[in-house]
Amino acid sequence: MARRSRSGDLFVWFVAVGLVAVGGLLFLRDRGLLRWPQAQPKPADQRARDLVKKYPDAEVFSGPETDKKKD
């Protein structure tokens, strides 16, 4: 029978423990006992203002502001 090195056994244990830990975390998340932090989406008007700041020379094709300017 082939002998394994000690470092090989250690690697196998780390992988096994890591998989069990990830499985446990996913189980707790599915049961609702663990909640991940969720990013809150920005409101549409805030996103529009950020885009205007980022791209000041861009042409806007729709929206209430452009309709008022054309009249």
Side-chain angles (χ1 to χ4, degrees):
M1 194 153 46
R3 295 184 61 161
R4 283 191 222 148
S5 68
R6 199 174 173 124
S7 64
D9 288 343
L10 189 62
F11 176 73
V12 170
W13 276 107
F14 277 137
V15 170
V17 168
L19 288 174
V20 169
V22 168
L25 289 173
L26 290 174
F27 175 79
L28 291 174
R29 185 198 64 177
D30 290 343
R31 294 286 179 186
L33 301 173
L34 180 67
R35 298 192 186 268
W36 305 119
Q38 304 247 340
Q40 297 295 326
K42 289 184 181 179
D45 59 338
Q46 181 63 39
R47 282 196 317 260
R49 275 182 284 201
D50 292 344
L51 286 174
V52 167
K53 288 178 188 174
K54 189 172 183 180
Y55 304 107
D57 296 333
E59 185 176 346
V60 179
F61 294 104
S62 65
E65 294 83 13
T66 58
D67 295 339
K68 291 177 186 174
K69 290 179 185 176
K70 288 181 182 177
D71 292 338

